[in-house]
Amino acid sequence: MNQDLAQIVTYYATKSHKELNELLLNKSKDNLISNLTDLLTAYINDKNSSSLREFVTVSIAGYEHNPQKLGYNGFKQSSPIGGKAIACEAKPKNIQTDGYDKKVIKPKLNGEGGFNDYTYERFEKDAKENLHILTSGFIDGELQYILEFSFSAIYERLKLQVPENRTIGTYTRMAKFNFSHYKDHYSLKITYANKLSIEKNKKYFNKSLYSFLINE
């Protein structure tokens, strides 16, 4: 983090809004643009938080983002004149290319996603809701694709990982899925694809997913 941005962040956390405003007003337009770009770059690539990537995924897919930790990630009306709201869960993944070729294990975008601390009760609720899943891929913070499909596409895959009979208080730490588990489902659609960037970044993609995104 550069010194100017560090000062702005520190002021935001420790000073009054008046003092922060005065600091910002004394910055040049170019300086503010540079600092905002640095802040967004750091935020969207943050390994410990996917909040911004989640927001981008949900919003571009046409849903109203839910900023709360509880509940689904977003909602939209099933028709312009009302009807039952459709809920969605976003599963974004970001690949950082810095030092990529030197890594022993080289991660790839493969349309994966997962549910943390998953229980059979939550699984049944999600199945009943038949929420929509949004898997998205980013490379160095740049959005590559968004795939959308219904929960039913991964129902069988998740059911295998979440035991119906379990000890009270226990749960599945992570119930996972990837492109191979929903690629043939009727509900699958490409909501967004930056084909030029995908072609340029081919080595960061699973072959099957790459082929699907490029050829559809």
Side-chain angles (χ1 to χ4, degrees):
M1 185 180 295
N2 68 60
Q3 290 186 345
D4 276 340
L5 180 55
Q7 183 186 33
I8 292 171
V9 171
T10 301
Y11 260 60
Y12 181 88
T14 63
K15 305 291 186 179
S16 67
H17 287 306
K18 180 180 179 182
E19 290 172 301
L20 175 62
N21 289 343
E22 289 175 351
L23 174 68
L24 295 175
L25 288 170
N26 285 325
K27 304 285 185 184
S28 70
K29 182 174 73 173
D30 287 344
N31 181 273
L32 289 174
I33 291 173
S34 175
N35 282 311
L36 177 59
T37 300
D38 284 352
L39 182 61
L40 289 172
T41 299
Y43 189 14
I44 205 165
N45 284 295
D46 189 349
K47 294 179 180 179
N48 298 313
S49 173
S50 62
S51 296
L52 199 57
R53 297 189 292 274
E54 175 189 294
F55 171 80
V56 169
T57 300
V58 169
S59 298
I60 290 181
Y63 292 79
E64 184 72 27
H65 182 246
N66 173 21
Q68 305 299 320
K69 290 290 185 182
L70 298 176
Y72 295 123
N73 295 149
F75 299 89
K76 70 177 179 181
Q77 292 299 320
S78 56
S79 67
I81 56 174
K84 186 178 185 297
I86 300 171
C88 74
E89 281 283 289
K91 306 298 178 184
K93 180 177 180 179
N94 186 46
I95 298 287
Q96 291 184 281
T97 63
D98 183 35
Y100 185 88
D101 291 327
K102 296 179 181 179
K103 295 176 181 176
V104 176
I105 298 176
K106 298 177 175 60
K108 292 183 183 290
L109 295 174
N110 67 349
E112 70 181 19
F115 292 85
N116 293 317
D117 303 338
Y118 212 42
T119 64
Y120 191 81
E121 290 78 12
R122 171 66 191 276
F123 167 74
E124 284 192 314
K125 178 179 181 292
D126 291 342
K128 183 178 180 179
E129 186 73 31
N130 197 24
L131 72 153
H132 285 203
I133 307 296
L134 306 172
T135 60
S136 58
F138 293 75
I139 295 178
D140 293 329
E142 180 185 15
L143 179 62
Q144 306 294 304
Y145 68 85
I146 301 173
L147 299 179
E148 182 171 355
F149 51 91
S150 66
F151 187 84
S152 58
I154 54 172
Y155 178 89
E156 294 299 335
R157 167 64 179 174
L158 296 179
K159 188 175 182 180
L160 291 173
Q161 301 174 72
V162 187
E164 182 175 358
N165 298 315
R166 64 185 176 88
T167 304
I168 295 175
T170 63
Y171 46 81
T172 300
R173 177 61 68 184
M174 174 65 80
K176 298 179 180 180
F177 61 87
N178 60 47
F179 181 65
S180 69
H181 300 119
Y182 57 82
K183 63 185 179 68
D184 297 319
H185 198 265
Y186 70 89
S187 67
L188 175 62
K189 67 177 182 178
I190 299 174
T191 297
Y192 174 90
N194 183 342
K195 291 195 176 185
L196 288 177
S197 187
I198 291 169
E199 287 185 35
K200 181 181 71 175
N201 293 299
K202 182 177 180 179
K203 71 176 183 179
Y204 303 115
F205 282 81
N206 164 276
K207 289 182 180 179
S208 179
L209 176 59
Y210 175 84
S211 178
F212 175 76
L213 292 169
I214 291 297
N215 295 320
E216 281 296 312

